[in-house]
Each structure stands twice: as structure tokens, then as C-alpha cells.
Coordinates of all heavy atoms in Angstrom, one line a residue:
M1461 N 7.4 0.2 -20.9 CA 7.8 0.7 -19.6 C 9.2 0.3 -19.2 O 9.6 -0.8 -19.3 CB 6.8 0.1 -18.5 CG 7.0 0.6 -17.1 SD 6.9 2.3 -16.9 CE 5.2 2.7 -17.3
A1462 N 9.9 1.3 -18.8 CA 11.3 1.0 -18.4 C 11.4 1.2 -16.8 O 10.8 2.1 -16.3 CB 12.3 2.0 -19.0
F1463 N 12.0 0.2 -16.2 CA 12.2 0.3 -14.8 C 13.6 0.5 -14.4 O 14.5 0.1 -15.1 CB 11.7 -1.1 -14.2 CG 10.2 -1.2 -14.3 CD1 9.7 -2.1 -15.3 CD2 9.3 -0.6 -13.5 CE1 8.3 -2.3 -15.4 CE2 8.0 -0.8 -13.6 CZ 7.5 -1.6 -14.6
P1464 N 13.9 1.0 -13.2 CA 13.0 1.5 -12.3 C 12.2 2.7 -12.8 O 12.7 3.5 -13.5 CB 13.8 1.9 -11.0 CG 15.2 2.1 -11.6 CD 15.3 1.3 -12.8
A1465 N 10.9 2.8 -12.3 CA 10.1 3.9 -12.7 C 9.5 4.6 -11.5 O 9.0 3.9 -10.6 CB 8.9 3.4 -13.6
T1466 N 9.5 5.9 -11.5 CA 9.0 6.6 -10.3 C 7.7 7.3 -10.7 O 7.5 7.9 -11.7 CB 10.0 7.7 -9.9 OG1 11.2 7.1 -9.5 CG2 9.5 8.5 -8.7
Y1467 N 6.7 7.1 -9.8 CA 5.4 7.6 -9.9 C 5.0 8.5 -8.8 O 5.4 8.2 -7.6 CB 4.3 6.5 -10.0 CG 4.5 5.5 -11.1 CD1 5.3 4.4 -10.9 CD2 3.9 5.7 -12.3 CE1 5.5 3.5 -12.0 CE2 4.1 4.8 -13.4 CZ 4.9 3.7 -13.2 OH 5.1 2.9 -14.2
E1468 N 4.3 9.6 -9.1 CA 3.7 10.4 -8.1 C 2.3 10.1 -8.1 O 1.6 10.3 -9.1 CB 4.0 11.9 -8.3 CG 3.1 12.8 -7.5 CD 3.9 13.6 -6.5 OE1 5.2 13.4 -6.4 OE2 3.4 14.5 -5.8
I1469 N 1.7 9.6 -7.0 CA 0.3 9.1 -7.0 C -0.5 10.1 -6.2 O -0.1 10.4 -5.0 CB 0.2 7.7 -6.3 CG1 1.0 6.8 -7.2 CG2 -1.2 7.3 -6.2 CD1 1.1 5.4 -6.7
D1470 N -1.5 10.7 -6.8 CA -2.4 11.6 -6.1 C -3.5 10.9 -5.6 O -4.2 10.1 -6.3 CB -2.9 12.7 -7.1 CG -1.7 13.6 -7.6 OD1 -0.9 14.0 -6.8 OD2 -1.7 13.9 -8.8
F1471 N -3.8 11.1 -4.3 CA -4.8 10.3 -3.6 C -5.9 11.3 -3.1 O -5.6 12.2 -2.3 CB -4.1 9.6 -2.4 CG -5.0 8.8 -1.5 CD1 -5.6 7.7 -1.9 CD2 -5.2 9.2 -0.2 CE1 -6.5 7.0 -1.1 CE2 -6.0 8.5 0.7 CZ -6.6 7.4 0.2
V1472 N -7.1 11.1 -3.6 CA -8.2 12.0 -3.2 C -9.2 11.2 -2.3 O -9.7 10.1 -2.7 CB -9.0 12.5 -4.5 CG1 -10.1 13.4 -4.1 CG2 -8.0 13.2 -5.4
N1473 N -9.5 11.8 -1.2 CA -10.4 11.1 -0.2 C -11.8 11.7 -0.4 O -12.1 12.7 0.0 CB -9.9 11.4 1.2 CG -10.8 10.6 2.2 OD1 -11.8 10.0 1.8 ND2 -10.4 10.7 3.5
T1474 N -12.6 10.9 -1.1 CA -14.0 11.3 -1.3 C -14.9 10.6 -0.3 O -16.1 10.7 -0.4 CB -14.5 10.9 -2.8 OG1 -14.3 9.4 -2.9 CG2 -13.6 11.5 -3.8
G1475 N -14.3 10.0 0.7 CA -15.1 9.3 1.7 C -15.5 10.2 2.8 O -15.4 11.4 2.7
E1476 N -15.9 9.6 4.0 CA -16.4 10.4 5.1 C -15.6 10.3 6.3 O -16.0 10.7 7.4 CB -17.9 10.0 5.3 CG -18.7 10.4 4.1 CD -20.2 10.0 4.3 OE1 -20.5 9.3 5.3 OE2 -21.0 10.5 3.4
E1477 N -14.5 9.6 6.2 CA -13.5 9.5 7.4 C -12.1 9.5 6.8 O -11.9 9.3 5.6 CB -13.8 8.3 8.2 CG -13.8 6.9 7.5 CD -14.2 5.8 8.4 OE1 -13.4 5.5 9.3 OE2 -15.2 5.1 8.1
P1478 N -11.1 9.8 7.7 CA -9.7 9.9 7.1 C -9.3 8.5 6.5 O -9.7 7.4 7.0 CB -8.9 10.2 8.4 CG -9.9 10.8 9.4 CD -11.2 10.1 9.1
H1479 N -8.5 8.6 5.5 CA -7.8 7.4 4.9 C -6.4 7.8 4.6 O -6.0 9.0 4.6 CB -8.5 7.0 3.6 CG -10.0 6.6 3.8 ND1 -10.3 5.4 4.5 CD2 -11.1 7.1 3.5 CE1 -11.6 5.2 4.5 NE2 -12.1 6.3 3.9
E1480 N -5.6 6.7 4.3 CA -4.2 6.9 3.8 C -3.9 5.9 2.7 O -4.7 5.0 2.5 CB -3.2 6.7 5.0 CG -3.3 5.2 5.4 CD -2.2 4.8 6.4 OE1 -1.3 5.6 6.7 OE2 -2.2 3.7 6.9
L1481 N -2.9 6.2 2.0 CA -2.4 5.2 1.0 C -0.9 5.0 1.3 O -0.1 5.9 1.1 CB -2.6 5.8 -0.4 CG -2.2 4.9 -1.6 CD1 -3.0 3.6 -1.6 CD2 -2.4 5.7 -2.9
S1482 N -0.6 3.8 1.7 CA 0.8 3.4 2.1 C 1.2 2.3 1.2 O 0.5 1.3 1.0 CB 0.9 3.0 3.6 OG 0.5 4.1 4.4
F1483 N 2.5 2.3 0.8 CA 3.1 1.3 -0.1 C 4.3 0.6 0.6 O 5.1 1.2 1.2 CB 3.5 1.9 -1.4 CG 2.4 2.3 -2.3 CD1 1.9 3.5 -2.2 CD2 2.0 1.4 -3.3 CE1 0.9 3.9 -3.1 CE2 1.0 1.8 -4.1 CZ 0.4 3.0 -4.1
V1484 N 4.3 -0.7 0.4 CA 5.5 -1.5 0.8 C 5.9 -2.3 -0.4 O 5.1 -2.7 -1.3 CB 5.3 -2.4 2.0 CG1 5.0 -1.6 3.3 CG2 4.2 -3.4 1.7
E1485 N 7.2 -2.7 -0.4 CA 7.7 -3.7 -1.4 C 7.5 -5.1 -0.6 O 8.0 -5.2 0.5 CB 9.2 -3.5 -1.7 CG 9.7 -4.6 -2.7 CD 11.2 -4.5 -2.9 OE1 11.8 -3.4 -2.8 OE2 11.8 -5.5 -3.2
L1486 N 6.8 -6.0 -1.3 CA 6.6 -7.3 -0.7 C 7.7 -8.2 -0.9 O 8.3 -8.2 -2.0 CB 5.3 -7.9 -1.2 CG 4.0 -7.1 -1.0 CD1 2.9 -7.6 -1.8 CD2 3.6 -7.1 0.5
K1487 N 8.0 -9.1 0.0 CA 8.9 -10.2 -0.2 C 8.3 -11.2 -1.2 O 7.0 -11.3 -1.3 CB 9.3 -10.9 1.1 CG 10.2 -10.0 1.9 CD 10.9 -10.8 3.0 CE 11.9 -9.8 3.7 NZ 12.5 -10.4 4.9
A1488 N 9.1 -11.9 -1.9 CA 8.5 -12.9 -2.9 C 7.5 -13.8 -2.3 O 7.8 -14.4 -1.2 CB 9.7 -13.7 -3.5
G1489 N 6.4 -14.0 -3.0 CA 5.4 -14.9 -2.5 C 4.5 -14.4 -1.4 O 3.6 -15.1 -0.9
T1490 N 4.6 -13.1 -1.1 CA 3.8 -12.5 0.0 C 2.7 -11.7 -0.6 O 2.9 -11.1 -1.7 CB 4.7 -11.6 0.9 OG1 5.8 -12.4 1.4 CG2 4.0 -11.0 2.0
T1491 N 1.6 -11.6 0.0 CA 0.5 -10.7 -0.4 C 0.2 -9.6 0.6 O 0.6 -9.7 1.7 CB -0.8 -11.5 -0.6 OG1 -1.2 -12.0 0.7 CG2 -0.6 -12.7 -1.6
A1492 N -0.4 -8.6 0.1 CA -0.8 -7.5 1.0 C -1.7 -8.1 2.2 O -1.5 -7.7 3.3 CB -1.5 -6.4 0.3
S1493 N -2.6 -9.0 1.8 CA -3.4 -9.6 2.9 C -2.6 -10.3 4.0 O -2.9 -10.2 5.1 CB -4.4 -10.6 2.2 OG -5.3 -10.0 1.4
S1494 N -1.6 -11.0 3.5 CA -0.8 -11.8 4.5 C -0.1 -10.8 5.5 O 0.1 -11.1 6.7 CB 0.1 -12.8 3.9 OG 1.1 -12.1 3.1
V1495 N 0.3 -9.7 5.0 CA 1.0 -8.7 5.8 C 0.0 -8.1 6.9 O 0.3 -8.1 8.1 CB 1.6 -7.5 5.0 CG1 2.1 -6.4 5.9 CG2 2.7 -8.1 4.0
I1496 N -1.2 -7.8 6.4 CA -2.2 -7.3 7.3 C -2.6 -8.3 8.4 O -2.7 -8.0 9.6 CB -3.4 -6.8 6.6 CG1 -3.0 -5.7 5.5 CG2 -4.5 -6.2 7.5 CD1 -2.4 -4.5 6.1
E1497 N -2.8 -9.5 7.9 CA -3.2 -10.6 8.8 C -2.1 -10.9 9.9 O -2.4 -11.1 11.0 CB -3.5 -11.9 8.0 CG -4.8 -11.8 7.3 CD -5.0 -12.9 6.2 OE1 -4.2 -13.8 6.2 OE2 -6.0 -12.7 5.4
A1498 N -0.8 -10.8 9.5 CA 0.3 -11.0 10.4 C 0.2 -9.9 11.5 O 0.4 -10.2 12.7 CB 1.6 -11.1 9.7
Q1499 N 0.0 -8.7 11.0 CA 0.0 -7.6 11.9 C -1.1 -7.7 12.9 O -1.0 -7.5 14.1 CB -0.1 -6.3 11.1 CG -0.1 -5.1 12.0 CD 0.1 -3.8 11.2 OE1 1.0 -3.7 10.4 NE2 -0.8 -2.9 11.3
E1500 N -2.3 -8.1 12.4 CA -3.5 -8.3 13.3 C -3.3 -9.4 14.3 O -3.8 -9.4 15.4 CB -4.7 -8.5 12.5 CG -5.2 -7.2 11.8 CD -5.5 -6.1 12.8 OE1 -6.4 -6.3 13.6 OE2 -4.8 -5.1 12.8
A1501 N -2.5 -10.5 13.9 CA -2.3 -11.6 14.8 C -1.2 -11.3 15.8 O -0.8 -12.2 16.5 CB -1.9 -12.8 13.9
G1502 N -0.6 -10.1 15.7 CA 0.4 -9.8 16.7 C 1.8 -10.2 16.3 O 2.8 -10.1 17.0
E1503 N 1.9 -10.7 15.0 CA 3.3 -11.0 14.5 C 3.9 -9.8 13.9 O 3.3 -8.8 13.7 CB 3.1 -12.1 13.4 CG 2.5 -13.4 14.0 CD 1.9 -14.3 12.8 OE1 2.4 -14.1 11.7 OE2 1.1 -15.1 13.1
D1504 N 5.2 -9.9 13.7 CA 5.9 -8.8 13.1 C 5.8 -8.9 11.6 O 6.4 -9.7 10.9 CB 7.4 -8.9 13.5 CG 8.2 -7.7 13.0 OD1 7.6 -6.8 12.4 OD2 9.4 -7.7 13.2
P1505 N 5.0 -7.9 11.0 CA 4.9 -8.0 9.5 C 6.1 -7.7 8.8 O 6.2 -7.9 7.6 CB 3.8 -6.9 9.3 CG 3.8 -6.0 10.4 CD 4.3 -6.8 11.6
A1506 N 7.2 -7.2 9.5 CA 8.4 -6.8 8.8 C 9.1 -8.0 8.1 O 9.8 -7.9 7.2 CB 9.4 -6.2 9.8
T1507 N 8.7 -9.2 8.6 CA 9.3 -10.4 8.0 C 8.8 -10.7 6.6 O 9.3 -11.5 5.9 CB 9.1 -11.7 8.9 OG1 7.6 -11.8 9.0 CG2 9.7 -11.5 10.3
L1508 N 7.6 -10.1 6.3 CA 7.0 -10.3 5.0 C 7.2 -9.1 4.0 O 6.8 -9.2 2.9 CB 5.5 -10.4 5.2 CG 5.0 -11.6 6.1 CD1 3.6 -11.5 6.4 CD2 5.4 -12.9 5.6
V1509 N 7.9 -8.1 4.5 CA 8.0 -6.9 3.8 C 9.5 -6.6 3.5 O 10.3 -6.7 4.4 CB 7.4 -5.7 4.5 CG1 7.8 -4.3 3.9 CG2 5.9 -5.8 4.6
E1510 N 9.8 -6.3 2.3 CA 11.2 -5.9 1.9 C 11.6 -4.5 2.4 O 12.6 -4.3 3.0 CB 11.4 -6.1 0.4 CG 12.8 -6.3 -0.1 CD 13.3 -7.7 0.3 OE1 12.7 -8.7 0.0 OE2 14.4 -7.7 1.0
Q1511 N 10.7 -3.6 2.1 CA 10.9 -2.2 2.5 C 9.7 -1.4 2.4 O 8.7 -1.7 1.6 CB 12.0 -1.6 1.6 CG 11.7 -1.4 0.2 CD 12.7 -0.6 -0.6 OE1 13.2 0.4 -0.1 NE2 12.9 -1.0 -1.8
F1512 N 9.6 -0.4 3.2 CA 8.5 0.6 3.2 C 8.8 1.6 2.1 O 9.9 2.1 2.1 CB 8.4 1.2 4.6 CG 7.4 2.3 4.7 CD1 6.0 1.9 4.8 CD2 7.7 3.6 4.7 CE1 5.1 2.9 4.9 CE2 6.8 4.6 4.8 CZ 5.4 4.2 4.9
L1513 N 7.9 1.9 1.3 CA 8.1 2.9 0.2 C 7.6 4.3 0.5 O 8.3 5.2 0.1 CB 7.4 2.4 -1.1 CG 7.9 1.1 -1.8 CD1 7.3 1.0 -3.1 CD2 9.4 1.0 -1.8
G1514 N 6.5 4.4 1.1 CA 6.0 5.7 1.4 C 4.5 5.7 1.7 O 3.8 4.7 1.5
T1515 N 4.1 6.9 2.2 CA 2.7 7.0 2.5 C 2.2 8.4 2.3 O 3.0 9.4 2.4 CB 2.4 6.6 4.0 OG1 1.0 6.7 4.3 CG2 3.2 7.5 5.0
T1516 N 0.9 8.6 2.1 CA 0.3 9.9 2.0 C 0.2 10.5 3.4 O 0.0 11.7 3.5 CB -1.1 9.8 1.4 OG1 -1.9 9.0 2.1 CG2 -1.0 9.4 -0.1
G1517 N 0.2 9.6 4.4 CA -0.2 10.0 5.7 C -1.7 10.2 5.7 O -2.4 10.0 4.7
A1518 N -2.3 10.5 6.9 CA -3.8 10.6 7.0 C -4.3 11.7 6.1 O -3.7 12.8 6.2 CB -4.2 10.7 8.4
V1519 N -5.3 11.4 5.3 CA -5.9 12.4 4.4 C -7.4 12.6 4.9 O -8.1 11.6 4.9 CB -5.8 12.0 3.0 CG1 -6.6 13.0 2.1 CG2 -4.4 11.9 2.5
D1520 N -7.7 13.8 5.3 CA -9.1 14.0 5.7 C -10.1 14.0 4.6 O -9.7 14.2 3.4 CB -9.2 15.4 6.4 CG -8.5 15.4 7.8 OD1 -8.5 14.4 8.4 OD2 -8.0 16.5 8.1
P1521 N -11.4 13.7 4.9 CA -12.4 13.7 3.9 C -12.4 15.0 3.1 O -12.3 16.1 3.7 CB -13.7 13.6 4.7 CG -13.3 12.9 6.0 CD -11.9 13.4 6.3
G1522 N -12.5 14.9 1.8 CA -12.6 16.1 1.0 C -11.2 16.7 0.6 O -11.1 17.6 -0.1
S1523 N -10.1 16.0 1.2 CA -8.8 16.5 0.9 C -8.0 15.5 0.1 O -8.6 14.5 -0.3 CB -8.0 16.7 2.3 OG -8.6 17.7 3.0
S1524 N -6.8 15.9 -0.3 CA -6.0 15.0 -1.1 C -4.6 15.0 -0.6 O -4.2 15.9 0.2 CB -6.0 15.4 -2.6 OG -5.5 16.7 -2.7
G1525 N -3.9 13.9 -0.9 CA -2.5 13.8 -0.5 C -1.7 13.1 -1.7 O -2.3 12.7 -2.7
A1526 N -0.4 13.1 -1.6 CA 0.4 12.5 -2.6 C 1.5 11.6 -2.0 O 1.9 11.9 -0.9 CB 1.0 13.6 -3.5
V1527 N 1.9 10.6 -2.8 CA 3.0 9.8 -2.4 C 3.8 9.4 -3.6 O 3.2 9.2 -4.7 CB 2.5 8.5 -1.6 CG1 1.6 7.7 -2.4 CG2 3.7 7.7 -1.2
Q1528 N 5.1 9.4 -3.5 CA 6.0 9.1 -4.6 C 6.6 7.7 -4.4 O 7.1 7.5 -3.3 CB 7.1 10.2 -4.7 CG 8.0 10.0 -6.0 CD 8.9 11.2 -6.2 OE1 8.4 12.3 -6.4 NE2 10.2 11.0 -6.1
I1529 N 6.5 6.9 -5.4 CA 7.0 5.5 -5.2 C 7.9 5.2 -6.4 O 7.6 5.6 -7.5 CB 5.9 4.5 -5.0 CG1 4.9 4.5 -6.2 CG2 5.2 4.7 -3.7 CD1 4.0 3.3 -6.1
T1530 N 8.9 4.4 -6.2 CA 9.7 3.9 -7.3 C 9.6 2.4 -7.4 O 9.8 1.7 -6.4 CB 11.2 4.3 -7.1 OG1 11.3 5.7 -7.1 CG2 12.1 3.8 -8.3
L1531 N 9.2 1.9 -8.6 CA 8.9 0.5 -8.8 C 10.1 -0.1 -9.6 O 10.6 0.5 -10.5 CB 7.6 0.2 -9.5 CG 6.4 0.9 -8.9 CD1 5.1 0.4 -9.7 CD2 6.2 0.5 -7.4
E1532 N 10.5 -1.4 -9.3 CA 11.5 -2.1 -10.0 C 11.0 -3.3 -10.7 O 10.1 -4.0 -10.1 CB 12.6 -2.4 -9.0 CG 13.4 -1.2 -8.5 CD 14.5 -1.6 -7.5 OE1 15.3 -2.4 -7.9 OE2 14.5 -1.1 -6.4
D1533 N 11.5 -3.6 -11.8 CA 11.1 -4.7 -12.6 C 11.1 -6.0 -11.8 O 12.1 -6.3 -11.2 CB 12.0 -4.8 -13.9 CG 11.4 -5.8 -14.9 OD1 10.1 -6.0 -14.8 OD2 12.1 -6.2 -15.8
G1534 N 10.0 -6.8 -12.0 CA 9.9 -8.1 -11.4 C 9.6 -8.1 -9.9 O 9.5 -9.2 -9.3
K1535 N 9.3 -6.9 -9.3 CA 9.0 -6.9 -7.9 C 7.5 -6.7 -7.7 O 6.8 -6.2 -8.5 CB 9.8 -5.8 -7.2 CG 11.3 -6.2 -7.3 CD 12.2 -5.4 -6.3 CE 13.6 -5.9 -6.3 NZ 14.5 -5.1 -5.5
S1536 N 7.0 -7.0 -6.5 CA 5.6 -6.9 -6.1 C 5.5 -5.9 -5.0 O 6.4 -5.9 -4.1 CB 5.0 -8.2 -5.8 OG 5.0 -9.1 -6.9
Y1537 N 4.4 -5.2 -5.0 CA 4.2 -4.1 -4.0 C 2.8 -4.3 -3.4 O 1.9 -4.6 -4.1 CB 4.4 -2.8 -4.7 CG 5.8 -2.6 -5.3 CD1 6.0 -3.0 -6.6 CD2 6.8 -2.1 -4.5 CE1 7.3 -3.0 -7.1 CE2 8.1 -2.1 -5.1 CZ 8.3 -2.5 -6.4 OH 9.6 -2.4 -6.9
G1538 N 2.7 -3.9 -2.2 CA 1.4 -3.9 -1.6 C 1.0 -2.5 -1.1 O 1.9 -1.7 -0.8
Y1539 N -0.3 -2.2 -1.2 CA -0.7 -0.9 -0.7 C -1.9 -1.1 0.2 O -2.7 -2.1 0.1 CB -1.1 0.1 -1.8 CG -2.1 -0.4 -2.8 CD1 -3.5 -0.2 -2.5 CD2 -1.8 -1.1 -3.9 CE1 -4.5 -0.6 -3.4 CE2 -2.8 -1.5 -4.8 CZ -4.1 -1.3 -4.5 OH -5.1 -1.8 -5.4
A1540 N -2.1 -0.3 1.2 CA -3.2 -0.4 2.2 C -3.4 0.9 2.9 O -2.6 1.8 2.9 CB -2.8 -1.5 3.2
C1541 N -4.6 0.9 3.5 CA -5.0 2.0 4.4 C -5.0 1.3 5.8 O -5.8 0.4 6.1 CB -6.3 2.6 4.1 SG -6.9 3.8 5.4
L1542 N -4.1 1.8 6.7 CA -4.1 1.2 8.1 C -4.8 2.0 9.1 O -4.7 1.7 10.3 CB -2.6 1.0 8.4 CG -1.8 0.1 7.5 CD1 -0.4 0.0 7.9 CD2 -2.4 -1.3 7.5
I1543 N -5.4 3.1 8.7 CA -6.2 3.9 9.6 C -7.4 3.0 10.1 O -8.0 2.3 9.4 CB -6.7 5.2 9.0 CG1 -5.5 6.1 8.7 CG2 -7.7 5.9 9.8 CD1 -5.8 7.4 8.0
E1544 N -7.6 3.1 11.4 CA -8.7 2.3 12.0 C -10.1 3.0 12.0 O -10.1 4.3 12.2 CB -8.4 2.0 13.5 CG -7.1 1.2 13.6 CD -6.8 0.9 15.1 OE1 -7.4 1.5 16.0 OE2 -5.8 0.1 15.3
G1545 N -11.1 2.3 11.7 CA -12.4 2.8 11.7 C -13.0 2.9 13.1 O -12.3 2.5 14.0
P1546 N -14.2 3.3 13.2 CA -14.8 3.4 14.6 C -14.8 2.0 15.3 O -14.9 2.0 16.5 CB -16.3 3.8 14.3 CG -16.2 4.5 12.9 CD -15.1 3.8 12.2
D1547 N -14.8 0.9 14.6 CA -14.8 -0.4 15.2 C -13.4 -0.8 15.6 O -13.2 -1.9 16.1 CB -15.4 -1.4 14.2 CG -14.7 -1.5 12.9 OD1 -13.7 -0.8 12.7 OD2 -15.1 -2.3 12.0
G1548 N -12.4 0.0 15.4 CA -11.0 -0.3 15.8 C -10.3 -1.2 14.8 O -9.1 -1.6 15.1
R1549 N -10.9 -1.5 13.7 CA -10.2 -2.4 12.7 C -9.6 -1.5 11.6 O -10.3 -0.6 11.2 CB -11.2 -3.3 12.0 CG -11.7 -4.5 12.9 CD -13.0 -5.0 12.4 NE -13.1 -5.2 10.9 CZ -12.7 -6.4 10.3 NH1 -12.3 -7.4 11.0 NH2 -12.8 -6.5 9.0
P1550 N -8.4 -1.8 11.2 CA -7.8 -1.0 10.1 C -8.6 -1.2 8.9 O -9.1 -2.3 8.6 CB -6.4 -1.6 10.0 CG -6.4 -2.9 10.7 CD -7.5 -2.8 11.7
H1551 N -8.8 -0.2 8.1 CA -9.6 -0.2 6.9 C -9.1 -1.3 5.9 O -9.9 -1.8 5.1 CB -9.6 1.1 6.2 CG -10.2 2.2 6.9 ND1 -10.0 3.5 6.7 CD2 -11.2 2.1 7.9 CE1 -10.7 4.3 7.6 NE2 -11.4 3.4 8.3
A1552 N -7.8 -1.7 6.0 CA -7.3 -2.7 5.1 C -8.1 -4.0 5.3 O -8.3 -4.8 4.3 CB -5.8 -2.9 5.4
L1553 N -8.5 -4.3 6.5 CA -9.2 -5.5 6.8 C -10.6 -5.5 6.1 O -11.3 -6.5 6.0 CB -9.4 -5.8 8.3 CG -8.1 -6.2 9.0 CD1 -8.4 -6.4 10.5 CD2 -7.5 -7.5 8.4
D1554 N -11.1 -4.3 5.8 CA -12.4 -4.2 5.1 C -12.2 -4.0 3.6 O -13.1 -3.5 2.9 CB -13.2 -3.1 5.7 CG -13.6 -3.4 7.2 OD1 -13.9 -4.5 7.4 OD2 -13.4 -2.5 8.0
G1555 N -11.0 -4.3 3.1 CA -10.8 -4.3 1.7 C -10.0 -3.1 1.1 O -9.8 -3.1 -0.1
M1556 N -9.5 -2.2 1.9 CA -8.7 -1.1 1.4 C -7.2 -1.6 1.3 O -6.4 -1.1 2.1 CB -8.8 0.1 2.3 CG -10.2 0.7 2.3 SD -10.2 2.4 3.1 CE -9.5 3.4 1.8
L1557 N -7.0 -2.5 0.4 CA -5.6 -3.0 0.2 C -5.5 -3.6 -1.2 O -6.6 -3.9 -1.8 CB -5.2 -4.0 1.2 CG -5.6 -5.4 1.1 CD1 -5.0 -6.3 2.2 CD2 -7.1 -5.6 1.2
G1558 N -4.3 -3.8 -1.7 CA -4.2 -4.5 -3.0 C -2.7 -4.6 -3.3 O -1.8 -4.3 -2.5
E1559 N -2.4 -5.1 -4.5 CA -1.1 -5.4 -4.9 C -0.8 -4.8 -6.3 O -1.7 -4.7 -7.1 CB -0.8 -6.9 -4.9 CG -0.6 -7.4 -3.5 CD -1.4 -8.7 -3.3 OE1 -1.5 -9.5 -4.3 OE2 -1.9 -8.9 -2.2
I1560 N 0.4 -4.5 -6.6 CA 0.9 -4.1 -7.9 C 2.1 -5.0 -8.2 O 3.0 -5.1 -7.4 CB 1.3 -2.6 -7.9 CG1 0.2 -1.7 -7.6 CG2 1.9 -2.3 -9.3 CD1 0.6 -0.3 -7.4
S1561 N 2.2 -5.5 -9.4 CA 3.4 -6.2 -9.9 C 4.0 -5.3 -11.0 O 3.3 -4.9 -11.9 CB 3.1 -7.6 -10.4 OG 2.7 -8.4 -9.4
A1562 N 5.3 -5.1 -10.9 CA 6.0 -4.4 -12.0 C 6.6 -5.4 -12.9 O 7.5 -6.1 -12.5 CB 7.1 -3.5 -11.3
T1563 N 6.1 -5.3 -14.2 CA 6.7 -6.3 -15.1 C 6.9 -5.5 -16.5 O 6.1 -4.7 -16.8 CB 5.8 -7.5 -15.4 OG1 4.5 -7.1 -15.7 CG2 5.8 -8.4 -14.2
T1564 N 7.9 -5.9 -17.2 CA 8.1 -5.4 -18.5 C 7.5 -6.4 -19.5 O 7.9 -7.6 -19.4 CB 9.6 -5.2 -18.8 OG1 10.1 -4.3 -17.9 CG2 9.8 -4.6 -20.2
S1565 N 6.5 -6.0 -20.3 CA 5.9 -7.0 -21.2 C 6.0 -6.4 -22.6 O 5.7 -5.2 -22.8 CB 4.5 -7.3 -20.8 OG 3.7 -6.2 -20.8
A1566 N 6.3 -7.2 -23.6 CA 6.3 -6.8 -25.0 C 5.0 -7.3 -25.6 O 4.6 -8.4 -25.5 CB 7.5 -7.4 -25.7
R1567 N 4.4 -6.4 -26.4 CA 3.1 -6.8 -27.0 C 3.3 -6.6 -28.5 O 3.9 -5.7 -28.9 CB 1.9 -6.0 -26.5 CG 1.7 -6.3 -25.1 CD 0.4 -5.7 -24.6 NE 0.2 -6.1 -23.2 CZ -1.0 -6.1 -22.6 NH1 -2.1 -5.8 -23.3 NH2 -1.1 -6.5 -21.4
Ligands
CU2436 CU1 -9.0 4.1 5.2

């Protein structure tokens, strides 16, 4: 894998409520969870994020969306769905989040 590498990610919503797929570049040592927790605590999550990469925007059930992201070697990225469920909590707090690390490895 050569970096920077650009990916077009197709996102299919097979669920029963709207979802999104949003990506940020994380600052070193930061996790997607810590960004969401800071936001929920009323703190400015921008202090944990290097840059916003892109989002599919809200995708309705049975529909699909796409987002293009460019990853750089040695950097970490977080993804999440920030759309709120009926309980008012962003889906990320119920597990719709994760991380990607971009690394070049020789095998
Ligand atoms: Cu969602």
C-alpha cells in the first residue's frame, strides 16, 4: 500500500433508521471514543481532531451513500455515526464508531 491513498467508501444502510458515516483524522493518542465523550461532556472535540475528512450525510434506511477519504501513512482516523436515536443519544455512543490506522507494512 502506498500512501497517501484515496478511497471511495460505499455505505449501505440496511437498518431501520437513518445513519451516516463520518471520518476525522485523529490527533496522536486520541481515540474515536474520546472524541465522542468530549462532545457529550460539552467540551470542544476539535481539540482532539486534526481535521474533518468527510461524511456520507444522513442515509435513509434502504439507501446508500458514499464518502471519499484520503489516508496518510502513520496517521489514525476515527469514524462514527452522530445521528441521534429516539433516545436523543448519538448512535456512536451505542457502538457506531471505530478507528483506522494507516500503516505501510512489509510481509
Ligand atoms: Cu447511526
Side-chain angles (χ1 to χ4, degrees):
M1461 178 60 62
F1463 292 102
T1466 298
Y1467 298 90
E1468 168 114 353
I1469 298 175
D1470 294 318
F1471 177 67
V1472 179
N1473 184 355
T1474 60
E1476 296 179 350
E1477 54 186 297
H1479 295 291
E1480 65 170 354
L1481 181 61
S1482 298
F1483 286 89
V1484 295
E1485 179 189 333
L1486 298 168
K1487 289 193 173 174
T1490 302
T1491 64
S1493 295
S1494 61
V1495 173
I1496 302 300
E1497 285 165 12
Q1499 181 166 304
E1500 285 302 296
E1503 297 162 22
D1504 182 4
T1507 59
L1508 304 172
V1509 169
E1510 203 68 57
Q1511 64 172 323
F1512 177 74
L1513 293 191
T1515 181
T1516 59
V1519 176
D1520 287 329
S1523 294
S1524 60
V1527 56
Q1528 186 171 296
I1529 58 172
T1530 298
L1531 306 185
E1532 293 180 53
D1533 193 16
K1535 296 195 172 175
S1536 294
Y1537 302 88
Y1539 58 87
C1541 174
L1542 298 178
I1543 291 178
E1544 294 177 356
D1547 59 1
R1549 287 159 47 88
H1551 294 159
L1553 289 180
D1554 294 318
M1556 294 190 79
L1557 81 175
E1559 284 134 36
I1560 298 171
S1561 292
T1563 54
T1564 303
S1565 60
R1567 294 190 179 202

